[in-house]
Amino acid sequence: LIVMSESIEGDPTVLYHAMHICDSAFPAGALAHSVGLESALSHGFVERGDITSLENFIYITSEQAIGLSVPFVSDAHKAVKRIQNKVQLDYLREIARLDAQFQSLMSNDVAQRASVLQGKGFLRVAQEAFPSEKLLMLEQFIRRSKSSGNMPTYGHYPVLFGFVCGNLGIPVNITRRMFLRCIVRDIISAASRLSIVGPLEGARVQAMFHPKMEEMLEAMEANLPTDGAATFRHQVSPVLEIIQGRQDSLYSRLFNS
């Protein structure tokens, strides 16, 4: 919290906003998703009582998020500053462009559906918790885009997460860590409900993973473009993509993804 407050330049309101978004009680719909963990358990990639297999899954999922999702979080966040002096339609088009790019890189229907459901849920809750004209206009733009006859703006989670945090004044380096921390939090929550680990063991695994998470993010940030170009996006684990895509084929399941 000390590091975060220094990065936020001592603004306590922004700090509290950041903590509120990372709170598991923030009702953005994350509890309905396991980030592919349920499918990984069913297919033998993760086993109950095997902490190492869970840690490996968290690591691979985090690598995948840093390679594909976090760059969109960063670019959507940076879009807030770039569009401050532009008209309303320009910032909506910028978010629509990023959203379309993310949609094109999603290789399975399950991950696409989960990202859209979480994104729309996150934006709806953010608008209620942190009322903003920009967030309201974006929510309405996404809703209207379905009937516009043009390519719809789906409302993917990483894009909306970055835009909301940028609109709240949360620094981009903190926003990246918030996003990845929320993914790890959701995996641990799902692992507890799937009886892979207990709540206390899950808390220990999550705490132990924080240094690795920071190391991975620092490595990514060291290679960020300095000329304002878009961050490089890429898939890291094809196997994880296949596992996530198998969620709908499970005979019985607790989670949507």
Side-chain angles (χ1 to χ4, degrees), residues 97-114:
R97 182 185 68 81
L98 292 171
D99 187 80
Q101 288 181 355
F102 189 81
Q103 170 74 11
S104 70
L105 290 173
M106 299 295 286
S107 59
N108 70 77
D109 292 338
V110 174
Q112 284 183 357
R113 183 180 67 232

Side-chain angles (χ1 to χ4, degrees), residues 38-245:
E38 186 173 26
S39 179
L41 177 65
S42 297
H43 290 89
F45 288 90
V46 176
E47 298 181 359
R48 289 187 173 91
D50 185 353
I51 304 300
T52 300
S53 66
L54 176 61
E55 291 175 343
N56 289 338
F57 180 84
I58 294 172
Y59 187 86
I60 293 171
T61 305
S62 298
E63 274 194 326
Q64 178 82 328
I66 289 174
L68 180 62
S69 300
V70 173
F72 281 94
V73 173
S74 300
D75 290 342
H77 185 287
K78 289 185 290 187
V80 175
K81 289 187 177 181
R82 290 201 303 268
I83 63 181
Q84 282 177 345
N85 298 321
K86 295 184 180 181
V87 297
Q88 167 193 319
L89 189 59
D90 287 334
Y91 88 79
L92 294 176
R93 284 174 175 166
E94 176 69 6
I95 295 303
R97 182 185 68 81
L98 292 171
D99 187 80
Q101 288 181 355
F102 189 81
Q103 170 74 11
S104 70
L105 290 173
M106 299 295 286
S107 59
N108 70 77
D109 292 338
V110 174
Q112 284 183 357
R113 183 180 67 232
S115 179
V116 171
L117 288 173
Q118 283 188 270
K120 289 182 177 178
F122 179 79
L123 180 60
R124 184 170 57 252
V125 176
Q127 169 58 21
E128 291 292 330
F130 321 111
S132 162
E133 183 180 356
K134 282 185 180 180
L135 298 186
L136 178 60
M137 295 301 295
L138 179 56
E139 188 176 14
Q140 293 173 344
F141 176 76
I142 292 172
R143 191 183 307 118
R144 288 196 301 264
S145 71
K146 288 186 176 181
S147 57
S148 66
N150 299 318
M151 182 175 180
T153 299
Y154 297 93
H156 281 290
Y157 181 49
V159 176
L160 298 185
F161 191 98
F163 186 82
V164 167
C165 290
N167 194 55
L168 291 172
I170 301 171
V172 65
N173 63 320
I174 300 300
T175 299
R176 295 187 195 107
R177 283 153 180 80
M178 289 168 58
F179 182 81
L180 192 58
R181 192 266 177 187
C182 286
I183 290 177
V184 175
R185 176 204 67 193
D186 295 342
I187 294 174
I188 295 296
S189 174
S192 179
R193 282 177 286 160
L194 290 167
S195 300
I196 298 174
V197 294
L200 297 180
E201 185 69 11
R204 184 190 67 81
V205 171
Q206 182 172 339
M208 288 183 61
F209 190 75
H210 287 159
K212 293 182 182 178
M213 185 172 71
E214 183 62 22
E215 181 180 336
M216 295 162 71
L217 283 166
E218 287 180 351
M220 185 209 78
E221 290 170 339
N223 295 306
L224 287 175
T226 57
D227 57 357
T231 310
F232 179 64
R233 301 94 179 237
H234 60 285
Q235 295 277 5
V236 174
S237 175
V239 175
L240 180 62
E241 283 287 298
I242 295 172
I243 291 173
Q244 291 176 336

